[in-house]
Amino acid sequence: MAVSDTGNPEQQGFQSTENYIVSNELALAVNAAVTLQKPLLIKGEPGTGKTRLAEELAQSLDTELLRWHIKSTTKAQQGLYEYDAVSRLRDSQLGSERVHDISNYIKPGKLWQAFTAEKRPVLLIDEIDKADIEFPNDLLHELDQMEFHVYETGEQIKAKQRPIVIITSNNEKELPDAFLRRCFFHYIRFPDAETLAAIVAVHYPNIQKKLLATALEVFFDLRNVPNLKKKPSTSELLDWLKLLLVEDVSPSELANQQGGLMPMFGALLKNEQDVELVEKLAFMSRRSSR
C-alpha cells in the first residue's frame, strides 16, 4: 500500500496487501479520509476486517498503531489523560518527594500519545458504539481541533501532526449527527464469493479449488437462511475451513451433509436457536424431496 506520510495519497493509494484484501470502495474511502484529514468511520458486520484495516494501514506506513478499545464503561477523558489522585494522596501521606510534581500522577491516554508521536501514527478507536451515547460528542473538540487542555498542569497538548484516525462500529447504537459530520464514512459490505475466495487464498493458498467452491456454496446458503439470528462472518469462514482441512473433509463429504448440518458446524453457528433452525429447514427439505 502507498499512502504518503504527508497526508496526500500517492498515485496508487491504498491497495490490497499480501495479507489483507480490500474492495475498491474501501480503498477509496481510506484515501479520501487521509486526504481530507478526517477520521474514517468504518461500519460493518463483525468479522469483516474493520480492526484489521487499521493494523494493515499502520504496517504499510511503517508507523505505530495506537489501539483504544472501547468498553461500555470507557469515558472520553480516558483517551486524553487520567489523573491518579489516589496515588498522590498516598505518596503525600508517606512523605514522598514525587508529590510536589503533579505531572507524576498524570497518565497520558491514547489521544495524547497520538498527538505527541514523532511520526504520524494510526489511531484506532475500536467499537465506539459500545460506549455511552455521549462518548462520541465528548470527543468532538479534540478530534476536530486536535488539541486539549490539561487542567491539573495547565498544559495545552496540541498534535504535532494529525494522526490517521480509524473508528470502528458494529452498529449497536446510532452515533450523534454532530460526530458523523466530522467523519468520512464507509460501510464494509459483506464480500461476494469472488472476494471471499481471494481472502481464503491469502490464508490457505493450497486449498483444493473444488473444496473451496463447495464450502463457499454451503457458507452462502447458510447466510441466506431466513431468520438466522447470527449470520456467519468472514473470520468464522476461515476458522471453519481450517477445521475442514485439519479433518481432511472431502468436497463430496461436504456436499452430502448428514442430518442437515455441515461438518464442524460449531465454527459457523453460534447459538442453539440457529442450530435448531438449520436442522428444521433441512428436515423439511428432505421430506419435500421424497
Side-chain angles (χ1 to χ4, degrees), residues 82-151:
E82 293 182 86
Y83 170 50
D84 191 351
V86 174
S87 291
R88 193 181 187 205
L89 175 61
R90 184 186 64 240
D91 287 348
S92 176
Q93 293 170 339
L94 295 173
S96 172
E97 290 297 320
R98 295 180 76 249
V99 76
H100 300 297
D101 186 355
I102 197 171
S103 64
N104 289 325
Y105 306 94
I106 302 292
K107 180 183 177 182
K110 297 299 182 182
L111 265 73
W112 187 327
Q113 295 172 40
F115 288 179
T116 55
E118 292 299 323
K119 184 176 181 181
R120 188 185 194 191
V122 174
L123 172 62
L124 171 62
I125 304 177
D126 205 16
E127 299 187 332
I128 193 172
D129 52 323
K130 288 190 179 300
D132 182 87
I133 189 63
E134 291 303 320
F135 179 88
N137 281 335
D138 291 343
L139 287 177
L140 285 179
H141 175 79
E142 287 76 16
L143 289 177
D144 195 33
Q145 300 299 317
M146 287 287 155
E147 63 178 321
F148 63 88
H149 186 71
V150 183
Y151 296 98

Side-chain angles (χ1 to χ4, degrees), residues 240-259:
W240 182 52
L241 288 173
K242 181 177 181 179
L243 292 173
L244 295 181
L245 292 171
V246 169
E247 296 297 324
D248 198 22
V249 176
S250 68
S252 59
E253 288 179 271
L254 193 56
N256 300 320
Q257 303 165 27
Q258 298 298 318

Side-chain angles (χ1 to χ4, degrees), residues 138-183:
D138 291 343
L139 287 177
L140 285 179
H141 175 79
E142 287 76 16
L143 289 177
D144 195 33
Q145 300 299 317
M146 287 287 155
E147 63 178 321
F148 63 88
H149 186 71
V150 183
Y151 296 98
E152 289 79 4
T153 64
E155 294 176 88
Q156 190 72 13
I157 305 299
K158 189 169 184 177
K160 296 181 177 180
Q161 62 271 313
R162 281 182 174 265
I164 299 173
V165 181
I166 306 292
I167 303 172
T168 72
S169 169
N170 288 328
N171 247 354
E172 292 187 6
K173 64 169 69 83
E174 290 296 321
L175 298 173
D177 289 344
F179 180 80
L180 294 175
R181 282 198 301 270
R182 288 164 170 81
C183 299

Side-chain angles (χ1 to χ4, degrees), residues 21 71 107 172 181 195 204 209 217 220 267 270 272 274:
I21 305 296
K71 302 178 181 178
K107 180 183 177 182
E172 292 187 6
R181 282 198 301 270
T195 305
Y204 311 116
K209 290 184 178 180
E217 184 177 346
F220 277 107
K270 300 300 176 128
E272 61 276 13
D274 287 346

